[in-house]
Every structure is written in structure tokens, then in C-alpha cells.
Amino acid sequence: DRSPSRGLGDVYKRQVLIFEQAPITEVVKVIREKIGIQIDLAEGLEKNLITTRINNNEPDIAGELAFLCGCKCETLVKGKHYRLYEK
């Protein structure tokens, strides 16, 4: 069977987002659009630049961003909505 829809699920599962010195505001926007996870930023974090690769099936995307920017992550709705803030 060579139908075009076959295997698309596998391609989606392996999607990787790559950021090079991207403003964190842009990173959270792309994550919201591509993966459907909302990450709010507390005041003062918008200056952070992020260089990383994120798999769309990464279980802790917000935690990874918190680690990269040296801030804390609060879970508002597990798997859907997070808030990053200064320590």
C-alpha cells in the first residue's frame, strides 16, 4: 500500500524543533503553534536567547527551557500549560 497518508504518524512523532540563539519569546510561540503547549513567561525572561533541539514528544519541554534560561518552571495544567519565572 503506497497511499500518501501511510507513515505520516511516524514522521510527526519524530519532528524536531531546532533553535539557534532564538529569543525565548519566539521559542515559546513556535512550541505553542507546533506542539500545542502554552508556556507563559514572567517579566524579565524575554531577554533570554535559546539554542536547543526539542523533540515534539519530549515529556518536559517547559522544564528543558527553564534549565536553559536558569529559571523555574511552574506547572499550571500538566502537559498543556506552564509558566517560567525568575528564581
PDB file of all heavy atoms in Angstrom, residues 21-25 41-50 69 86:
ATOM      1  N   GLN A  21      20.196  30.548  18.978  1.00  0.00           N
ATOM      2  CA  GLN A  21      20.211  31.911  19.519  1.00  0.00           C
ATOM      3  C   GLN A  21      18.870  32.616  19.256  1.00  0.00           C
ATOM      4  O   GLN A  21      18.837  33.781  18.859  1.00  0.00           O
ATOM      5  CB  GLN A  21      21.371  32.714  18.915  1.00  0.00           C
ATOM      6  CG  GLN A  21      22.739  32.249  19.362  1.00  0.00           C
ATOM      7  CD  GLN A  21      22.959  32.529  20.849  1.00  0.00           C
ATOM      8  OE1 GLN A  21      22.930  33.667  21.279  1.00  0.00           O
ATOM      9  NE2 GLN A  21      23.189  31.496  21.621  1.00  0.00           N
ATOM     10  N   ALA A  22      17.783  31.885  19.466  1.00  0.00           N
ATOM     11  CA  ALA A  22      16.446  32.444  19.237  1.00  0.00           C
ATOM     12  C   ALA A  22      15.922  33.072  20.521  1.00  0.00           C
ATOM     13  O   ALA A  22      16.126  32.529  21.604  1.00  0.00           O
ATOM     14  CB  ALA A  22      15.504  31.328  18.780  1.00  0.00           C
ATOM     15  N   PRO A  23      15.252  34.215  20.408  1.00  0.00           N
ATOM     16  CA  PRO A  23      14.644  34.810  21.604  1.00  0.00           C
ATOM     17  C   PRO A  23      13.628  33.832  22.201  1.00  0.00           C
ATOM     18  O   PRO A  23      12.879  33.191  21.462  1.00  0.00           O
ATOM     19  CB  PRO A  23      13.931  36.058  21.067  1.00  0.00           C
ATOM     20  CG  PRO A  23      14.514  36.304  19.708  1.00  0.00           C
ATOM     21  CD  PRO A  23      14.997  34.986  19.204  1.00  0.00           C
ATOM     22  N   ILE A  24      13.610  33.723  23.521  1.00  0.00           N
ATOM     23  CA  ILE A  24      12.705  32.763  24.171  1.00  0.00           C
ATOM     24  C   ILE A  24      11.244  33.061  23.834  1.00  0.00           C
ATOM     25  O   ILE A  24      10.421  32.151  23.761  1.00  0.00           O
ATOM     26  CB  ILE A  24      12.954  32.698  25.692  1.00  0.00           C
ATOM     27  CG1 ILE A  24      12.273  31.442  26.266  1.00  0.00           C
ATOM     28  CG2 ILE A  24      12.513  33.973  26.378  1.00  0.00           C
ATOM     29  CD1 ILE A  24      12.695  31.105  27.671  1.00  0.00           C
ATOM     30  N   THR A  25      10.926  34.332  23.559  1.00  0.00           N
ATOM     31  CA  THR A  25       9.553  34.680  23.184  1.00  0.00           C
ATOM     32  C   THR A  25       9.162  33.971  21.882  1.00  0.00           C
ATOM     33  O   THR A  25       8.038  33.498  21.733  1.00  0.00           O
ATOM     34  CB  THR A  25       9.395  36.204  23.017  1.00  0.00           C
ATOM     35  OG1 THR A  25      10.442  36.682  22.160  1.00  0.00           O
ATOM     36  CG2 THR A  25       9.476  36.915  24.350  1.00  0.00           C
ATOM     37  N   LEU A  41       5.713  33.460  30.068  1.00  0.00           N
ATOM     38  CA  LEU A  41       6.998  33.972  30.557  1.00  0.00           C
ATOM     39  C   LEU A  41       6.759  35.115  31.536  1.00  0.00           C
ATOM     40  O   LEU A  41       6.044  36.058  31.224  1.00  0.00           O
ATOM     41  CB  LEU A  41       7.836  34.495  29.386  1.00  0.00           C
ATOM     42  CG  LEU A  41       8.197  33.483  28.307  1.00  0.00           C
ATOM     43  CD1 LEU A  41       8.873  34.194  27.146  1.00  0.00           C
ATOM     44  CD2 LEU A  41       9.092  32.400  28.867  1.00  0.00           C
ATOM     45  N   ALA A  42       7.373  35.014  32.712  1.00  0.00           N
ATOM     46  CA  ALA A  42       7.311  36.122  33.669  1.00  0.00           C
ATOM     47  C   ALA A  42       8.176  37.265  33.145  1.00  0.00           C
ATOM     48  O   ALA A  42       9.081  37.061  32.331  1.00  0.00           O
ATOM     49  CB  ALA A  42       7.806  35.653  35.034  1.00  0.00           C
ATOM     50  N   GLU A  43       7.902  38.459  33.624  1.00  0.00           N
ATOM     51  CA  GLU A  43       8.656  39.631  33.209  1.00  0.00           C
ATOM     52  C   GLU A  43      10.147  39.426  33.486  1.00  0.00           C
ATOM     53  O   GLU A  43      10.528  38.863  34.506  1.00  0.00           O
ATOM     54  CB  GLU A  43       8.147  40.843  33.981  1.00  0.00           C
ATOM     55  CG  GLU A  43       8.485  42.149  33.310  1.00  0.00           C
ATOM     56  CD  GLU A  43       7.796  43.331  33.986  1.00  0.00           C
ATOM     57  OE1 GLU A  43       6.642  43.186  34.418  1.00  0.00           O
ATOM     58  OE2 GLU A  43       8.447  44.385  34.070  1.00  0.00           O
ATOM     59  N   GLY A  44      10.970  39.863  32.550  1.00  0.00           N
ATOM     60  CA  GLY A  44      12.415  39.756  32.717  1.00  0.00           C
ATOM     61  C   GLY A  44      13.040  38.579  31.987  1.00  0.00           C
ATOM     62  O   GLY A  44      14.250  38.542  31.792  1.00  0.00           O
ATOM     63  N   LEU A  45      12.232  37.613  31.564  1.00  0.00           N
ATOM     64  CA  LEU A  45      12.786  36.438  30.880  1.00  0.00           C
ATOM     65  C   LEU A  45      12.900  36.632  29.371  1.00  0.00           C
ATOM     66  O   LEU A  45      13.591  35.877  28.697  1.00  0.00           O
ATOM     67  CB  LEU A  45      11.925  35.193  31.151  1.00  0.00           C
ATOM     68  CG  LEU A  45      11.897  34.704  32.597  1.00  0.00           C
ATOM     69  CD1 LEU A  45      11.018  33.470  32.708  1.00  0.00           C
ATOM     70  CD2 LEU A  45      13.288  34.407  33.106  1.00  0.00           C
ATOM     71  N   GLU A  46      12.226  37.648  28.839  1.00  0.00           N
ATOM     72  CA  GLU A  46      12.176  37.808  27.373  1.00  0.00           C
ATOM     73  C   GLU A  46      13.540  38.110  26.746  1.00  0.00           C
ATOM     74  O   GLU A  46      13.695  38.012  25.542  1.00  0.00           O
ATOM     75  CB  GLU A  46      11.147  38.888  26.990  1.00  0.00           C
ATOM     76  CG  GLU A  46      11.412  40.276  27.512  1.00  0.00           C
ATOM     77  CD  GLU A  46      10.994  40.497  28.965  1.00  0.00           C
ATOM     78  OE1 GLU A  46      10.206  39.701  29.509  1.00  0.00           O
ATOM     79  OE2 GLU A  46      11.484  41.467  29.565  1.00  0.00           O
ATOM     80  N   LYS A  47      14.536  38.448  27.568  1.00  0.00           N
ATOM     81  CA  LYS A  47      15.875  38.735  27.034  1.00  0.00           C
ATOM     82  C   LYS A  47      16.669  37.471  26.719  1.00  0.00           C
ATOM     83  O   LYS A  47      17.693  37.530  26.055  1.00  0.00           O
ATOM     84  CB  LYS A  47      16.665  39.581  28.044  1.00  0.00           C
ATOM     85  CG  LYS A  47      16.027  40.914  28.356  1.00  0.00           C
ATOM     86  CD  LYS A  47      16.837  41.730  29.345  1.00  0.00           C
ATOM     87  CE  LYS A  47      16.946  41.124  30.715  1.00  0.00           C
ATOM     88  NZ  LYS A  47      15.720  41.061  31.504  1.00  0.00           N
ATOM     89  N   ASN A  48      16.226  36.317  27.220  1.00  0.00           N
ATOM     90  CA  ASN A  48      16.969  35.072  27.033  1.00  0.00           C
ATOM     91  C   ASN A  48      16.994  34.629  25.576  1.00  0.00           C
ATOM     92  O   ASN A  48      15.981  34.684  24.886  1.00  0.00           O
ATOM     93  CB  ASN A  48      16.334  33.951  27.867  1.00  0.00           C
ATOM     94  CG  ASN A  48      16.696  34.062  29.329  1.00  0.00           C
ATOM     95  OD1 ASN A  48      17.793  33.741  29.724  1.00  0.00           O
ATOM     96  ND2 ASN A  48      15.754  34.537  30.130  1.00  0.00           N
ATOM     97  N   LEU A  49      18.176  34.178  25.137  1.00  0.00           N
ATOM     98  CA  LEU A  49      18.334  33.579  23.810  1.00  0.00           C
ATOM     99  C   LEU A  49      18.538  32.080  24.004  1.00  0.00           C
ATOM    100  O   LEU A  49      19.296  31.664  24.876  1.00  0.00           O
ATOM    101  CB  LEU A  49      19.531  34.181  23.072  1.00  0.00           C
ATOM    102  CG  LEU A  49      19.434  35.677  22.771  1.00  0.00           C
ATOM    103  CD1 LEU A  49      20.712  36.164  22.100  1.00  0.00           C
ATOM    104  CD2 LEU A  49      18.216  35.985  21.909  1.00  0.00           C
ATOM    105  N   ILE A  50      17.866  31.285  23.181  1.00  0.00           N
ATOM    106  CA  ILE A  50      17.858  29.834  23.355  1.00  0.00           C
ATOM    107  C   ILE A  50      18.476  29.143  22.148  1.00  0.00           C
ATOM    108  O   ILE A  50      18.130  29.439  21.003  1.00  0.00           O
ATOM    109  CB  ILE A  50      16.401  29.328  23.535  1.00  0.00           C
ATOM    110  CG1 ILE A  50      15.738  29.987  24.745  1.00  0.00           C
ATOM    111  CG2 ILE A  50      16.339  27.808  23.616  1.00  0.00           C
ATOM    112  CD1 ILE A  50      16.309  29.592  26.088  1.00  0.00           C
ATOM    113  N   CYS A  69      17.381  28.589  30.530  1.00  0.00           N
ATOM    114  CA  CYS A  69      17.396  30.020  30.877  1.00  0.00           C
ATOM    115  C   CYS A  69      17.681  30.257  32.358  1.00  0.00           C
ATOM    116  O   CYS A  69      17.685  31.389  32.812  1.00  0.00           O
ATOM    117  CB  CYS A  69      16.115  30.719  30.425  1.00  0.00           C
ATOM    118  SG  CYS A  69      14.654  30.392  31.399  1.00  0.00           S
ATOM    119  N   GLU A  86      11.597  33.872  37.221  1.00  0.00           N
ATOM    120  CA  GLU A  86      12.927  34.012  37.826  1.00  0.00           C
ATOM    121  C   GLU A  86      12.950  33.284  39.168  1.00  0.00           C
ATOM    122  O   GLU A  86      11.961  33.258  39.871  1.00  0.00           O
ATOM    123  CB  GLU A  86      13.257  35.495  38.063  1.00  0.00           C
ATOM    124  CG  GLU A  86      13.212  36.344  36.812  1.00  0.00           C
ATOM    125  CD  GLU A  86      14.543  36.483  36.103  1.00  0.00           C
ATOM    126  OE1 GLU A  86      15.483  35.728  36.394  1.00  0.00           O
ATOM    127  OE2 GLU A  86      14.627  37.364  35.237  1.00  0.00           O
TER     128      GLU A  86
END
